[in-house]
Amino acid sequence: MKTPDYPFDSDYPIESLSRDPSDRFFSRSKETTRDIELPEPTRGAHSYDAFREAQDRFRESFHEPTAVDRDVRNLEKRLFMQNYHAKTDMDKTPRSMNRPSNMPPPTGTDNFDNPDFGGSDFSDQDLDTRDITRIDLPSPFADSNTSVEFGKSNEFDRSDGFDRSDGFSMSASFNEFPDSDDPAESSDSFGFQGSSDDPADPDDPFGFRSASANHGGSGGSGDKGGSKGGNGTPQDKRRRIIKIALLSALGVFLAGCITGGTIIALALTDKNMPEWNGEALDNLAYASIVYDKNGEEIGRFSSDQNRLAFEYEDIPELLRETLVAVEDKRFYEHTGTDPIGIIRGAFAGGQGGSGLTVQLAKNVFIQPERRTSRGFEGLKRKIQESYLALQIERHYKKDEIMKAYLTHIFFGQGSYGVRTAAQVYFGKELNDLTPPEIALLCGLPKGPSLYEPYNNPDNAKARRADVLLVMRNNDLITAAEYENYKDEPFTWVDKVQSGDESVKLAKENKNRFPYFVDYVRTALRDQYGLDDELISGGGLHIYTTVDPDIQAEAEKVMADPKNFPATAKDGVEVQGAFVMLDNETGNIVAMVGGRTYPEDTAIAFNRAAGNTGSKGRPPGSVAKPLIVYAPALEKATFANGTFFPGTVFDDEPTQYGAWEVVNYDSSYKGRITMREAVSKSVNTFAVKTYEAAGPDHCWKFAKDNMGLSGLSAKGSESSSLSNALGTFLATPLEIAQAYSAFPNLGKRNETQCVTKIESSSGEVIQEIEVENTEAMSASAAYVMSDMLRSVVTSGTGTGASIGSWYICGKTGTTSLPDHLGNVRGNPDAWFSGYSPLYTATVWMGYDTTDKTHYLVGEYGGTRPAAIWKKVMQKALEGRQVQSSIPQPSGVITVTYDALTGKLPSSTLGGGNQNGWGGWGGWSSLWPNRSYGSDIRTDIATEKGQPTEYGTAADYPRSNYGYNDDYGDEYDDW
């Protein structure tokens, strides 16, 4: 008997399902069938054929069709037609379909009620509830079993009931003779899946954009295993690609979750993970300890040193709103960490995401040395900060967190907390702050050292403008206010820098040598590159260069009123500064920035080093060896001779345009030598030497070789001859550093205040080595020292002489500005000098010079030289006296004519001690000069020794230094 010809099953005759009784599979000699009415599959048949063809190839690869195959085939047809009827409004043309009469109705969750399964036609059923159907099929053997499972899913978003998808699946498994050793008797399985989408697709009238059949089979351990598969349409391929991509993404996500969870676990169990302790919000960071050269503690840097208490109510509302707008827009919404802010920051280039609570957790719980960690350690730190931020949010209210943040955060210049910062930068309490002042304070946490206005006013102004813009954009200020505020000057900072104001704090400074310790703090940041937070709270051990005995003596001498002029009538004191260096190393052994250290001042004005933005004072004649005589000796020659201690210029009134060169005592000495000009501090000689040696050469030498940074400032160009008189700015520290090149025979050491820096655990962070610069030749340095020796033995600096010690030095004073009128006095008085072991510089004067505040009768050789001597004596105490320094090669002894500065001339009296023949010598013509016998011996460098003989042309007319009553015939020389 042959079955009807079906579009679905035309290749499977009934006879093929009959097997021999000995067949160990289904043994049926006759199959009884009955007709089942099915609709004509005029639409979508190709979709079913696609998976049926693949299925057929799979089955045929194992064995010929069996009765089970047929039964499963009929179920497949019914399942497909279920989808078919649900998706089309076709003409239902009855067709007959055979089914074994002994096939039982389905069991399990099926609810078809189909007449072929003992119920009504399934095509009219509501298919939404038919999700899973399992049919157990009989087997002629007790130990075999066959089952079929299929399922479907639909979406009903459109009027026709089908919108985006409709899918069905089916699987069949056979388990026969499970105890058999025959691999072919073990198990077989197969399955197929179908999917549909978009019934409006014109290329697929049935609504299938894709159809697929996946078939697989396995056969125990024998050779019956295998798999077959069929591919669908191009759309189906794209769907599989998308599916694979989604699965891959899911895999990556899951892997990331696993990896992230591992990292989080490592971070939270790390040995450096801080313990949560709510009381830590009120605790202070670890203090860094400062030691002197002997290892004794002299001071501490701690975060509580410059912190003032305040209440939440003291914080201006505008300050709170601005801080949130700038640092953490979602502060009042998130619970510690802000994922939106982190994502926003990631898309903005990696910035952002660290809100106020995270910053607070970082500053309170994370040790300073870990706050800048990077890489994997940085990732662990970030996780720890986020965890601690969540804990803070759990235990504290937002207002409490805001107050804690504004109490702990560092604002630069040693100020911790917003109230301290308000005092440091504006001299105000919080409730007196103006909008531009609030803008600066809210901008400082981003980079305190970078944006604070004392040392970086331009950066501070730019940062303040950025914050003001945020305030404008958030309607905290108006556009007009923004324009008015963005260029407002830092008035309070300017007053502090000039010494007119000082920053007042409630806490007393308890450091033993406060000026020096303050300088160390600044150097750690600017010279040694340490972060302010690490300095103030990192628990560092800082070993310095200060000699406690010399430092104590310097502070004692500077604090003694006897060493200074009387206080002005309005109570303003004459101030002073002192600094001493070790010649061999450049180490600072003592530094005093004022007569006394203000006890209630957070930032004391250090006149010795020029902190808080100060560039120093005009050094006056103290600068002459550095910018005039040393560069001249190094150059050696000029148009009319050579430079050595016997070089001669005429000391007489000299004028360059409108500028008149005047000596400090308004007297003139005529033709004198360089040695005399140095020892007597003659201004006219210095200017003429500067001009002869070349202003560019001298200016560059002093700036680059001697390290005078004030020459780089505007208005100090080399063409200005007034540079020869020290009209530029310099600090006592710079002057001392430059002078130390002379006893070091030309090597200028970089000044150091620290020798070693250790972490809280004792690990060496930095160990400072001596650095020096070849400032000049050893021979030129030695000759310069020899002339400076004359200043102390017979010149303006005799007050600095110390017994038989080799002491060299130079005095210096400056002139009052013209706008003060016809008054006599000096704004500044200096003395800088050295012994073979130490170099020191002293400055004295008022912080602000005006009509009532200037020095009267004080010069570098008076009180400044006396202060220098007292401290130097303490430094040399107990040392073996050194009355000289080693003379290097390249220094020679020369004989010269003191009138010309050249070799003695046989035709001009040089070779005859009695003068010119019968003239009886120059002494009869010029009573104050013994020219006929003034042949001198001095030292010079080999390059600077005189090589020419003097002639009458070397005697220009002069009205000073000789008697002019003898007639013009001699003057014309």
Side-chain angles (χ1 to χ4, degrees):
M1 176 179 176
K2 185 174 175 60
T3 60
D5 199 15
Y6 306 126
F8 302 139
D9 201 13
S10 59
D11 298 329
Y12 282 86
I14 289 286
E15 289 81 1
S16 66
L17 299 179
S18 300
R19 306 297 297 267
D20 186 86
S22 62
D23 191 329
R24 299 181 61 185
F25 284 90
F26 289 90
S27 177
R28 296 189 181 111
S29 59
K30 278 184 145 187
E31 296 289 346
T32 302
T33 65
R34 61 190 181 95
D35 292 337
I36 299 175
E37 296 294 326
L38 291 175
E40 176 66 29
T42 59
R43 297 174 62 198
H46 61 283
S47 298
Y48 184 72
D49 290 340
F51 65 78
R52 284 309 306 270
E53 180 181 357
Q55 186 183 35
D56 291 342
R57 288 197 303 269
F58 163 69
R59 285 172 172 162
E60 291 169 1
S61 67
F62 282 101
H63 50 70
E64 294 181 1
T66 65
V68 173
D69 292 329
R70 176 174 173 273
D71 293 337
V72 170
R73 189 70 163 275
N74 288 330
L75 290 175
E76 292 173 356
K77 294 176 183 178
R78 297 178 188 282
L79 176 61
F80 184 84
M81 292 309 301
Q82 180 179 349
N83 276 277
Y84 175 89
H85 277 282
K87 300 176 73 63
T88 62
D89 295 320
M90 297 176 54
D91 227 359
K92 299 181 180 179
T93 302
R95 299 291 300 270
S96 64
M97 184 175 182
N98 295 323
R99 173 178 178 273
S101 58
N102 65 342
M103 184 173 181
T107 61
T109 60
D110 177 64
N111 196 19
F112 276 17
D113 294 329
N114 187 286
D116 292 306
F117 294 114
S120 60
D121 186 1
F122 67 86
S123 65
D124 297 325
Q125 301 301 311
D126 181 1
L127 303 179
D128 296 352
T129 60
R130 289 160 185 72
D131 295 327
I132 301 296
T133 298
R134 177 182 177 86
I135 300 177
D136 294 320
L137 302 178
S139 172
F141 300 97
D143 56 354
S144 85
N145 179 61
T146 301
S147 65
V148 177
E149 294 182 357
F150 61 89
K152 65 171 292 298
S153 63
N154 300 319
E155 294 183 6
F156 297 88
D157 293 337
R158 289 170 46 129
S159 59
D160 61 2
F162 297 90
D163 185 10
R164 296 296 300 168
S165 66
D166 182 273
F168 60 88
S169 63
M170 178 176 177
S171 64
S173 63
F174 310 90
N175 184 13
E176 308 189 41
F177 308 108
D179 298 325
S180 172
D181 294 331
D182 186 348
E185 298 173 353
S186 295
S187 63
D188 294 317
S189 65
F190 70 88
F192 72 86
Q193 295 178 337
S195 64
S196 65
D197 194 4
D198 194 1
D201 188 347
D203 296 329
D204 191 350
F206 190 71
F208 281 1
R209 291 193 63 185
S210 63
S212 64
N214 300 320
H215 308 274
S218 62
S221 60
D223 58 0
K224 294 296 181 80
S227 64
K228 297 276 186 177
N231 295 322
T233 66
Q235 292 90 343
D236 185 42
K237 293 180 180 179
R238 287 195 297 270
R239 288 174 179 270
R240 287 199 302 273
I241 293 173
I242 294 173
K243 181 179 179 180
I244 293 172
L246 291 175
L247 290 175
S248 300
L250 178 62
V252 172
F253 172 75
L254 294 175
C257 291
I258 296 172
T259 303
T262 302
I263 295 174
I264 292 173
L266 291 174
L268 298 182
T269 58
D270 187 74
K271 64 179 181 179
N272 293 321
M273 174 66 193
E275 294 184 5
W276 162 251
N277 179 9
E279 296 179 357
L281 293 181
D282 298 323
N283 293 338
L284 301 175
Y286 306 100
S288 295
I289 303 176
V290 185
Y291 303 93
D292 64 21
K293 64 175 295 186
N294 300 324
E296 298 294 330
E297 181 179 336
I298 58 173
R300 294 192 173 205
F301 300 140
S302 59
S303 58
D304 66 330
Q305 185 174 4
N306 296 323
R307 176 181 281 115
L308 296 175
F310 60 91
E311 299 299 328
Y312 178 81
E313 292 74 19
D314 298 331
I315 308 171
E317 182 179 1
L318 180 60
L319 193 154
R320 299 196 303 268
E321 293 175 343
T322 302
L323 185 65
V324 170
V326 172
E327 290 289 333
D328 193 351
K329 287 183 170 59
R330 291 169 41 82
F331 172 69
Y332 291 103
E333 302 172 23
H334 65 66
T335 58
T337 57
D338 183 8
I340 294 178
I342 294 173
I343 295 172
R344 186 189 305 115
F347 281 100
Q351 301 298 320
S354 295
L356 298 180
T357 313
V358 173
Q359 293 181 45
L360 177 61
K362 174 181 177 180
N363 279 270
V364 173
F365 295 100
I366 305 298
Q367 293 186 2
E369 60 263 31
R370 294 188 61 229
R371 293 175 189 169
T372 57
S373 58
R374 299 180 181 275
F376 185 68
E377 285 300 319
L379 177 60
K380 289 196 297 182
R381 172 179 57 80
K382 286 289 186 182
I383 294 172
Q384 294 168 1
E385 291 171 2
S386 298
Y387 168 79
L388 294 167
L390 294 173
Q391 295 300 317
I392 292 175
E393 293 276 354
R394 285 183 56 199
H395 293 84
Y396 291 88
K397 298 178 181 178
K398 290 291 185 179
D399 291 350
E400 294 172 330
I401 296 172
M402 173 68 74
K403 182 195 172 201
Y405 175 90
L406 290 173
T407 300
H408 283 82
I409 292 298
F410 181 71
F411 286 85
Q413 282 293 336
S415 58
Y416 287 81
V418 68
R419 185 186 171 200
T420 309
Q423 292 288 334
V424 167
Y425 296 111
F426 310 113
K428 292 182 177 181
E429 290 295 339
L430 291 175
N431 54 9
D432 296 325
L433 294 173
T434 63
E437 292 167 347
I438 287 175
L440 177 65
L441 294 180
C442 291
L444 281 172
K446 182 179 180 181
S449 301
L450 181 63
Y451 298 116
E452 58 90 9
Y454 282 98
N455 293 302
N456 301 293
D458 293 337
N459 290 349
K461 184 173 290 187
R463 177 60 177 161
R464 183 183 63 183
D466 291 342
V467 176
L468 286 169
L469 185 61
V470 174
M471 296 170 71
R472 187 198 70 179
N473 294 339
N474 285 271
D475 296 326
L476 302 179
I477 60 174
T478 66
E481 287 174 327
Y482 166 77
E483 294 297 332
N484 292 334
Y485 294 151
K486 66 180 183 178
D487 294 320
E488 190 169 291
F490 299 112
T491 305
W492 175 260
V493 172
D494 294 338
K495 290 181 178 180
V496 173
Q497 289 180 329
S498 65
D500 294 336
E501 294 286 357
S502 60
V503 180
K504 306 293 184 182
L505 295 179
K507 191 174 182 63
E508 178 181 351
N509 191 303
K510 297 182 179 180
N511 291 326
R512 183 180 176 191
F513 304 135
Y515 277 114
F516 177 79
V517 173
D518 280 357
Y519 177 76
V520 169
R521 178 196 288 272
T522 301
L524 288 173
R525 180 192 66 199
D526 299 340
Q527 190 172 345
Y528 303 116
L530 271 63
D531 182 80
D532 275 303
E533 295 182 59
L534 179 61
I535 296 169
S536 298
L540 303 178
H541 300 279
I542 304 159
Y543 297 89
T544 71
T545 60
V546 69
D547 186 308
D549 296 331
I550 301 176
Q551 177 71 28
E553 181 67 15
E555 292 188 359
K556 175 184 175 182
V557 171
M558 293 294 290
D560 189 348
K562 297 178 182 178
N563 296 321
F564 288 85
T567 300
K569 293 180 180 180
D570 59 1
V572 178
E573 289 184 335
V574 175
Q575 274 296 340
F578 178 90
V579 63
M580 179 178 283
L581 309 178
D582 183 300
N583 289 340
E584 183 179 358
T585 62
N587 290 343
I588 300 173
V589 296
M591 174 182 284
V592 183
R595 290 176 62 175
T596 57
Y597 191 94
E599 293 183 349
D600 59 350
T601 298
I603 305 174
F605 180 31
N606 190 337
R607 301 161 185 86
N611 70 328
T612 65
S614 172
K615 301 300 182 182
R617 301 288 290 250
S621 295
V622 164
K624 291 175 182 175
L626 308 176
I627 196 171
V628 177
Y629 299 118
L633 293 174
E634 188 72 2
K635 188 174 184 180
T637 62
F638 66 106
N640 197 34
T642 57
F643 291 112
F644 72 109
T647 299
V648 173
F649 286 109
D650 203 342
D651 175 26
E652 60 181 348
T654 305
Q655 192 159 342
Y656 296 89
W659 179 50
E660 182 181 2
V661 184
V662 181
N663 289 329
Y664 77 94
D665 59 358
S666 299
S667 66
Y668 304 91
K669 302 172 177 60
R671 297 182 67 79
I672 59 175
T673 64
M674 183 184 290
R675 184 180 290 276
E676 292 175 284
V678 171
S679 67
K680 302 299 182 182
S681 195
V682 179
N683 289 341
T684 57
F685 196 102
V687 174
K688 290 181 178 181
T689 303
Y690 185 81
E691 184 181 33
D696 287 342
H697 165 73
C698 294
W699 183 83
K700 189 175 186 302
F701 181 95
K703 181 174 70 73
D704 297 339
N705 295 35
M706 307 309 282
L708 299 181
S709 62
L711 290 170
S712 299
K714 184 177 181 181
S716 64
E717 288 79 4
S718 62
S719 58
S720 175
L721 296 178
S722 65
N723 285 330
L725 304 183
T727 56
F728 54 89
L729 299 180
T731 65
L733 179 61
E734 286 180 315
I735 296 296
Q737 182 185 33
Y739 265 73
S740 68
F742 300 139
N744 282 331
L745 298 179
K747 293 186 182 298
R748 178 176 62 83
N749 290 320
E750 296 296 325
T751 57
Q752 307 288 353
C753 63
V754 172
T755 58
K756 184 172 61 174
I757 305 169
E758 293 181 351
S759 68
S760 57
S761 61
E763 180 183 357
V764 176
I765 298 176
Q766 287 192 41
E767 194 154 11
I768 314 303
E769 298 181 354
V770 176
E771 297 181 9
N772 55 56
T773 300
E774 190 74 34
M776 58 194 306
S777 64
S779 58
Y782 182 86
V783 172
M784 188 71 249
S785 288
D786 198 68
M787 288 192 288
L788 292 174
R789 174 80 171 132
S790 298
V791 175
V792 176
T793 58
S794 58
T796 58
T798 55
S801 178
I802 303 177
S804 299
W805 275 94
Y806 183 85
I807 302 296
C808 307
K810 183 69 184 73
T811 59
T813 57
T814 58
S815 302
L816 290 171
D818 295 336
H819 68 81
L820 295 183
N822 189 22
V823 294
R824 294 184 62 84
N826 307 305
D828 310 277
W830 296 74
F831 184 84
S832 186
Y834 49 89
S835 68
L837 302 178
Y838 300 104
T839 298
T841 300
V842 177
W843 169 84
M844 182 180 292
Y846 285 96
D847 287 329
T848 301
T849 301
D850 53 33
K851 290 184 177 181
T852 58
H853 300 98
Y854 56 88
L855 301 175
V856 178
E858 294 293 342
Y859 306 96
T862 56
R863 294 180 190 270
I867 292 174
W868 184 95
K869 178 178 180 178
K870 290 179 180 180
V871 183
M872 184 62 75
Q873 282 179 314
K874 180 66 177 179
L876 298 177
E877 189 176 67
R879 303 294 190 100
Q880 184 177 355
V881 175
Q882 298 183 39
S883 57
S884 64
I885 60 175
Q887 178 175 313
S889 60
V891 176
I892 61 174
T893 301
V894 297
T895 301
Y896 67 97
D897 183 346
L899 184 61
T900 65
K902 298 183 178 181
L903 293 174
S905 173
S906 60
T907 61
L908 202 55
N912 187 341
Q913 294 295 324
N914 294 322
W916 279 6
W919 283 41
W922 288 97
S923 59
S924 62
L925 297 179
W926 295 337
N928 64 330
R929 278 287 200 177
S930 300
Y931 282 101
S933 60
D934 200 5
I935 306 302
R936 303 183 185 179
T937 300
D938 212 325
I939 62 173
T941 65
E942 291 180 344
K943 294 193 304 180
Q945 61 179 306
T947 58
E948 299 179 3
Y949 291 94
T951 65
D954 298 317
Y955 300 95
R957 176 185 175 89
S958 176
N959 292 320
Y960 293 86
Y962 62 90
N963 190 337
D964 194 37
D965 295 335
Y966 292 94
D968 291 339
E969 58 180 316
Y970 307 115
D971 298 341
D972 291 340
W973 291 345

